[in-house]
Amino acid sequence: MSNNLKSMTEAEIGAVLKDMEQPAFRAKQIFTWLHKGVRSYDEMSNLPKPLRAVLAQQYPICAPEVVRKQESKKDGTVKYLWRLHDGNCVETVLMRYHYGNTVCISTEVGCRMGCAFCASTLGGLVRKLEPFEMLDQVLFTQVDSGLPVSHIVLMGIGEPLDNFDNVLRFLELVNSPDGMNISMRHISLSTCGLVPKIDELAQKKLQLTLSVSLHAPNDEIRNTIMPVNRAYPVEQLLDVCRRYYQATGRRISFEYAMIDGVNDSEENAKELLRRMKGLPAHFNLIPLNHVEESPFKPSSRNAVARFQKTLEDGGIPATVRRTLGGDIDASCGQLRRKYTKEKQ
Ligand code: SAH
């Protein structure tokens, strides 16, 4: 893990300060400032100036710069493209729901999962994000927008469980009472289905919502759109979901991107019902966002409605996700992709 104070817990910052022969109470002061999104130690007005100077030299504060900001005129959704300290870019989306302002963050620069319909994976994985780089997306979205953030979804660029330790540290940080204090129940983590990592996460018994990107009722279809399915087929994935539910008591939310003629028939919905037996779940049906490079098209409204009804009649609650920010390239990786292509 990086040597960045913003990736450290309050106790770890305390250990750093102890080595500098500083009093213990400084750890809380510094942690609190960092988690407000300051850009410099000079903003830490209750620290002695000499200490600020030493910290600035040994632990420089990194903060992302806004490269692009797009605001939806329709629903107030704001999309940020940030430049990180090494020049790489990631996206964050701020969505305004009735229950609170929700930030959708990226967990990696690019992605190596290769889902056929997703813009984030087109250029492969560049690198994983450090804990503070995930935290910064929340902090600086809040600072820039002036809107208090109460909910977080890990559904931006990247596969969170492919960056397991850093993501877990980020969750610990954002949940800290002296930091943003965001409740685990207000956090959703979405995965394409890395089975061993889901088992590992289950053991942590966090109260967050696990979202699983299922997108198909069987291996035949899932293999064609999600390469990860060749390593962890549907049956194994649903088995780990059962174990996850047993370990945590948390109902899993399944994501299902509706793709015209691929996974949206009534037969597909019925097969899903058979497969899901005995597994408490909720389905989020997402009409596919069209990605330029991809041959896939969104399902028709009728197909989505029919699919939803079949699931609900079979006893599985299913909602059709409202598409926010449709006018601002707000789906996974689209803005970064556009920016990278423009620069070429
Ligand atoms: N890697 C994680 C989280 C990031 S993507 C995962 O796979 O779950 C968040 C969700 O958006 C996933 O369900 C993903 O499959 C879906 N998604 C990606 N591209 C999409 C597109 N073009 N249209 C609709 N949903 C898409």
Side-chain angles (χ1 to χ4, degrees):
M1 212 162 281
S2 81
N3 193 31
N4 189 300
L5 285 190
K6 235 189 298 182
S7 287
M8 294 183 193
T9 60
E10 206 173 305
E12 287 169 350
I13 296 177
V16 167
L17 290 167
K18 196 167 175 215
D19 288 345
M20 293 178 172
E21 294 173 358
Q22 290 289 326
F25 67 86
R26 297 265 180 244
K28 181 171 175 171
Q29 291 177 325
I30 294 170
F31 187 88
T32 307
W33 280 115
L34 289 173
H35 288 240
K36 282 195 171 127
V38 296
R39 287 183 176 271
S40 141
Y41 286 103
D42 286 332
E43 293 177 53
M44 302 190 182
S45 51
N46 53 2
L47 292 196
K49 283 206 169 131
L51 176 59
R52 292 186 219 166
V54 173
L55 289 172
Q57 223 218 342
Q58 293 188 15
Y59 298 95
I61 296 182
C62 284
E65 298 295 333
V66 179
V67 186
R68 266 191 204 172
K69 179 177 170 183
Q70 298 185 351
E71 200 158 351
S72 166
K73 292 191 176 54
K74 288 195 286 196
D75 52 44
T77 299
V78 187
K79 180 140 190 170
Y80 291 96
L81 184 71
W82 306 102
R83 185 180 298 109
L84 307 175
H85 60 89
D86 64 352
N88 277 306
C89 291
V90 290
E91 304 174 11
T92 306
V93 186
L94 171 67
M95 293 161 292
R96 308 186 61 177
Y97 290 111
H98 65 276
Y99 52 77
N101 299 315
T102 304
V103 165
C104 174
I105 66 156
S106 299
T107 55
E108 298 179 315
V109 181
C111 182
R112 58 183 183 134
M113 295 299 139
C115 299
F117 46 82
C118 180
S120 302
T121 199
L122 289 167
L125 175 69
V126 178
R127 70 170 174 88
K128 299 174 182 199
L129 292 184
E130 298 292 330
F132 79 92
E133 294 176 308
M134 294 179 242
L135 181 66
D136 276 351
Q137 294 174 60
V138 186
L139 294 177
F140 291 103
T141 296
Q142 186 169 264
V143 169
D144 183 89
S145 67
L147 297 167
V149 171
S150 56
H151 291 69
I152 299 174
V153 296
L154 283 73
M155 293 189 183
I157 299 171
E159 167 51 46
L161 297 187
D162 195 33
N163 188 12
F164 195 85
D165 294 342
N166 288 349
V167 163
L168 255 87
R169 169 52 63 93
F170 159 72
L171 293 173
E172 184 182 353
L173 292 172
V174 88
N175 185 231
S176 302
D178 290 334
M180 294 208 71
N181 200 15
I182 292 183
S183 144
M184 283 290 172
R185 287 182 178 265
H186 287 187
I187 300 178
S188 294
L189 183 154
S190 177
T191 178
C192 65
L194 300 177
V195 168
K197 295 292 175 188
I198 297 175
D199 266 323
E200 219 176 312
L201 186 66
Q203 295 318 310
K204 310 278 179 197
K205 301 197 191 308
L206 302 177
Q207 291 299 296
L208 52 74
T209 300
L210 180 67
S211 290
V212 172
S213 300
L214 191 57
H215 303 329
N218 58 42
D219 291 333
E220 202 186 334
I221 300 174
R222 204 163 186 266
N223 279 340
T224 64
I225 52 176
M226 299 180 75
V228 67
N229 196 68
R230 295 183 188 272
Y232 308 112
V234 174
E235 209 49 52
Q236 281 185 33
L237 180 55
L238 295 179
D239 280 348
V240 77
C241 288
R242 290 191 172 88
R243 293 196 292 278
Y244 187 91
Y245 177 72
Q246 271 160 14
T248 64
R250 303 282 296 163
R251 188 174 68 158
I252 292 175
S253 164
F254 288 90
E255 289 163 283
Y256 199 98
M258 305 268 322
I259 313 175
D260 184 40
V262 173
N263 62 2
D264 62 350
S265 72
E266 189 142 14
E267 188 40 51
N268 296 152
K270 285 183 178 153
E271 184 174 1
L272 208 50
L273 281 172
R274 291 196 293 276
R275 286 282 177 115
M276 299 294 301
K277 277 240 152 32
L279 176 58
H282 174 268
F283 267 77
N284 249 316
L285 306 176
I286 318 157
L288 187 82
N289 268 303
H290 182 62
V291 172
E292 226 174 77
E293 289 87 340
S294 135
F296 301 116
K297 302 268 180 303
S299 303
S300 70
R301 265 198 144 120
N302 276 348
V304 176
R306 189 184 56 197
F307 203 92
Q308 180 187 24
K309 186 169 184 312
T310 308
L311 289 186
E312 295 228 303
D313 289 350
I316 298 187
T319 41
V320 179
R321 184 174 295 168
R322 238 179 358 128
T323 44
L324 293 181
D327 53 337
I328 55 165
D329 298 316
S331 95
C332 287
Q334 288 190 358
L335 187 58
R336 172 171 173 265
R337 180 82 192 147
K338 204 165 162 184
Y339 179 71
T340 320
K341 280 206 307 199
E342 280 171 16
K343 279 204 308 186
Q344 279 165 1

